[in-house]
Amino acid sequence: MTSEQELQETILDLLPTQGNWSEDGYLWLTDQSNQLLEYSDGYIEVLPTPTDRHQVILRLLAFVFYQYLQPRGGTALFAPLRLRLRNGKYREPDLLALRDARDPRREELYWTGADLVVEIVSADRPDRDLVTKRREYAEAGIPEYWIVNPLNETITVLVLDGSSYREHGVFARGAQAMSALLPDFAIAVNVVFDAE
């Protein structure tokens, strides 16, 4: 065994085991890593490295949302940026938006809320975005959640209705994905999935 391997094993021995991570430990780890990490009740979740297609779609969406929100006093940012949903739960949405850029939930180390989040579905674990995060973002009271799904080339726009989401629309090629929260905001589904 090389000295570098021994050092890596020693460092790993010093880190908490899964289920025993604290929020402070998670925040420290994300500052030391170039990997996207999420935190759920003591567990660190490592996200897959984004693909080229994922990043092209995200670049387009970030530009379009920011272009809409900025003149109206809002903002849109993209991962990596931590979103604290509650004590013990942090996510890294692909895109986060606030209608008011001065919203107190917009904090330096992480946001404590958002008006709208977007997730681009990953092929490795689609249920993370389609089921798990849908439930978690609703529980956190986020008014609108967009699920951009390259696997079937649809954009699902969900609107908070009480403590869960209802579908505002499932938009496929040929349609315009429309926000319920942002007046007159729409984007052609073809434009999203044909981005280069």
Side-chain angles (χ1 to χ4, degrees):
M1 187 178 300
T2 69
S3 60
E4 185 164 322
Q5 288 173 317
E6 290 171 344
L7 177 60
Q8 288 175 351
E9 287 183 10
T10 301
I11 290 170
L12 289 175
D13 288 340
L14 296 173
L15 297 176
T17 57
Q18 281 287 43
N20 292 308
W21 281 89
S22 67
E23 286 188 39
D24 287 340
Y26 160 74
L27 294 171
W28 171 84
L29 185 63
T30 58
D31 288 342
Q32 310 308 311
S33 176
N34 59 2
Q35 185 74 41
L36 286 175
L37 304 171
E38 294 183 329
Y39 177 75
S40 185
D41 299 317
Y43 290 85
I44 300 293
E45 299 174 24
V46 180
L47 301 181
T49 301
T51 64
D52 181 83
R53 186 167 194 218
H54 178 282
Q55 292 302 86
V56 166
I57 291 169
L58 179 56
R59 178 184 61 200
L60 173 76
L61 291 172
F63 175 77
V64 171
F65 274 98
Y66 181 77
Q67 190 176 40
Y68 173 89
L69 287 163
Q70 193 273 334
R72 293 165 175 81
T75 193
L77 295 175
F78 48 89
L81 178 62
R82 297 170 292 222
L83 175 63
R84 185 174 192 235
L85 300 179
R86 62 166 171 78
N87 288 339
K89 180 75 71 176
Y90 289 78
R91 291 298 185 197
E92 290 266 3
D94 288 310
L95 187 138
L96 305 90
L98 287 168
R99 290 178 290 179
D100 181 354
R102 296 164 302 174
D103 190 306
R105 297 173 297 172
R106 182 183 180 189
E107 297 183 20
E108 186 63 25
L109 296 178
Y110 52 83
W111 286 14
T112 58
D115 294 324
L116 184 148
V117 295
V118 176
E119 293 285 3
I120 300 167
V121 176
S122 298
D124 72 318
R125 287 184 53 203
D127 281 355
R128 173 192 294 273
D129 300 314
L130 299 171
V131 178
T132 306
K133 289 186 179 182
R134 178 179 177 150
R135 181 186 66 249
E136 292 174 352
Y137 292 151
E139 289 171 355
I142 295 171
E144 191 164 295
Y145 175 32
W146 284 44
I147 302 173
V148 178
N149 192 341
L151 306 177
N152 64 8
E153 296 192 332
T154 62
I155 298 173
T156 302
V157 178
L158 302 168
V159 178
L160 196 61
D161 187 4
S163 61
S164 62
Y165 286 121
R166 67 172 166 75
E167 285 184 2
H168 173 65
V170 178
F171 305 97
R173 282 188 170 275
Q176 297 263 335
M178 296 177 291
S179 172
L181 184 70
L182 307 175
D184 302 320
F185 180 87
I187 185 167
V189 175
N190 288 20
V191 168
V192 172
F193 294 115
D194 291 340
E196 294 182 353

